[in-house]
């Protein structure tokens, strides 16, 4: 950047102070991000890439925690980002109550990783994880309205930050209460699918992301795609500048930051008019769900549950605990 670019950026920053920039000099910025999604969908790989760690990913058991630190400038305290990862697909979704609390809700974000190579699990996984998270966050907001109404109002206002009031879809969307990024993983396998199937999945995920006010990015093990996902996560974790680039071409990996898509660009659900006419639904989301599940019948919820009980796994044996447990079961 030239000196002029820096000066312009500085003036713009003063004129439009963002909520995230209210960290005073010398103060530490702390953010928390919860990663959830399909089992074996690549969540751990994405986290390790964001933290620039060279380890090979291991399966996540229940809920795991790690953190990253970055210094904004030379000789300043390092900012901290807390990374939580929910394992087991949808089977342990109740555990989200541990990381998301009324103390950190202002600085919390969610990253939903969906495995593009398993379209039949896609909607069920997304719906169950987002519903439970949303209702938990809404409970916290209801409590905050009584105890700390200013913070509750700020969070509700921030939900709409990415969508300007003059956006044509302002009345048609229902933003997620905290920042949300949807990552479609395993793009390399997805790319081998039939082009019509790819189109339906891409269109549906664009609609869902836009409806929830979320950012959407497709990624794989390729370095270039991982960097794009990392840019979105670094924005949430460390307040780095948001990318303004957009890629909506269905033959290429999608990359759409929140608020930069529109219903008119996405178009109607991919089904014939006569089929759409027969569907009894109450909301646009239900309509897209029915159209999507017509092509990709969902796996039953039981199939997605984790059948293996980690308590029976030999690597976690602890004599005293196991004896007490056996006694309790008896």
């Amino acid at each position: 950047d030239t000196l002029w670019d820096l000066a312009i950026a500085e003036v713009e920053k003063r004129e439009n102070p963002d909520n995230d920039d209210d960290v005073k000099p010398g103060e530490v910025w702390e953010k928390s991000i919860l990663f959830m999604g399909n089992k074996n969908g690549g969540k751990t790989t994405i986290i390790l890439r964001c933290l620039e760690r060279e380890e090979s990913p291991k399966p996540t058991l229940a809920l795991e925690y790690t953190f990253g630190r970055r210094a904004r400038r030379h000789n300043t305290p390092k900012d901290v980002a807390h990374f939580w990862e929910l394992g087991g697909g949808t089977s342990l979704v109740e555990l989200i109550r541990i990381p998301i609390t009324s103390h950190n809700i202002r600085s919390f974000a969610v990253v939903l990783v969906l495995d593009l190579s398993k379209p039949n699990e896609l909607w069920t996984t997304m719906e169950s994880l987002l519903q439970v998270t949303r209702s938990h966050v809404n409970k916290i907001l209801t409590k905050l309205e009584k105890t700390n109404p200013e913070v509750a109002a700020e969070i509700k206002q921030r939900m709409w930050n990415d969508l300007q009031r003059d956006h044509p879809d302002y009345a048609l969307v229902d933003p997620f209460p905290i920042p949300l990024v949807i990552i479609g993983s395993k793009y390399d396998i997805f790319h081998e699918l039939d082009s019509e199937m790819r189109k339906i999945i891409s269109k549906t995920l664009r609609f869902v992301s836009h409806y929830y006010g979320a950012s959407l990015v497709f990624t794989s093990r390729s370095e270039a795609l991982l960097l794009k996902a990392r840019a979105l996560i670094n924005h949430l974790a460390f307040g780095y500048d948001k990318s303004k680039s957009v890629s909506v071409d269905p033959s290429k990996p999608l990359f759409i930051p929140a608020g930069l898509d529109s219903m008119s660009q996405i178009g109607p659900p991919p089904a014939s008019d006569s089929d759409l006419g027969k569907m009894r639904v109450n909301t646009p989301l239900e309509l897209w769900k029915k159209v999507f599940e017509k092509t990709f019948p969902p796996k039953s919820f039981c199939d997605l549950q984790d059948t293996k009980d980690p308590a029976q796994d030999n690597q976690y044996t602890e004599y005293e605990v196991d004896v007490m447990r056996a006694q309790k079961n008896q």
Side-chain angles (χ1 to χ4, degrees), residues 144-326:
L144 276 177
E145 277 168 354
K146 294 179 187 128
T147 57
N148 198 335
E150 285 161 13
V151 170
E154 179 200 314
I155 293 168
K156 288 193 166 172
Q157 174 53 46
R158 206 190 291 174
M159 280 162 60
W160 292 94
N161 272 3
D162 288 315
L163 211 62
Q164 307 307 322
R165 273 193 179 282
D166 57 358
H167 194 291
D169 303 334
Y170 196 79
L172 303 173
V173 297
D174 184 13
F176 206 69
I178 52 179
L180 174 65
V181 169
I182 296 177
I183 296 181
S185 66
K186 305 196 183 174
Y187 178 77
D188 42 347
I189 304 173
F190 168 77
H191 196 58
E192 305 298 313
L193 295 177
D194 169 69
S195 69
E196 223 23 64
M197 285 179 154
R198 290 206 312 266
K199 211 164 150 188
I200 294 171
I201 298 169
S202 298
K203 229 178 163 184
T204 304
L205 283 178
R206 275 181 71 185
F207 170 80
V208 170
S209 301
H210 185 54
Y211 183 78
Y212 283 129
S215 298
L216 174 66
V217 59
F218 282 3
T219 186
S220 70
R221 288 182 185 276
S222 113
E223 198 57 34
L225 290 184
L226 275 170
L227 276 174
K228 286 199 153 185
R230 202 173 130 194
L232 285 175
I233 293 164
N234 276 338
H235 169 69
L236 297 176
F238 300 108
Y240 288 12
D241 287 345
K242 220 159 124 179
S243 174
K244 289 281 192 291
S245 74
V246 176
S247 166
V248 293
D249 181 347
S251 63
K252 296 196 177 95
L254 297 181
F255 181 79
I256 312 167
L260 297 183
D261 212 341
S262 69
M263 299 292 187
S264 58
Q265 282 178 297
I266 298 166
S272 68
D273 290 349
S274 62
D275 280 352
L276 291 177
K278 287 179 203 151
M279 292 179 181
R280 301 248 172 279
V281 293
N282 297 322
T283 64
L285 197 63
E286 280 179 32
L287 181 64
W288 280 84
K289 177 183 176 174
K290 287 213 162 160
V291 172
F292 184 80
E293 291 187 340
K294 201 166 180 234
T295 312
F296 303 107
K299 275 198 168 179
S300 76
F301 197 66
C302 306
D303 294 347
L304 298 180
Q305 293 285 357
D306 209 348
T307 44
K308 273 202 318 225
D309 178 4
Q312 306 303 321
D313 193 322
N314 285 336
Q315 65 172 318
Y316 304 113
T317 51
E318 270 182 68
Y319 180 73
E320 286 88 350
V321 177
D322 295 340
V323 168
M324 296 302 281
R325 182 78 207 212

Side-chain angles (χ1 to χ4, degrees), residues 28-35 47 50-51 53 63-70 78-85 98-101 103-105 107-111 233 236-238:
V28 172
W29 154 305
E30 271 194 59
K31 293 276 178 179
S32 304
I33 300 178
L34 172 64
F35 287 77
I47 292 173
C50 286
L51 298 173
R53 290 191 193 151
L63 187 67
E64 292 199 1
Y65 169 82
T66 185
F67 67 93
R69 301 174 70 183
R70 301 270 160 89
K78 286 186 172 177
D79 295 329
V80 182
H82 307 281
F83 289 114
W84 295 86
E85 184 188 352
I98 296 166
I100 310 178
T101 66
H103 300 297
N104 64 13
I105 189 84
S107 57
F108 213 98
V110 170
V111 174
I233 293 164
L236 297 176
F238 300 108

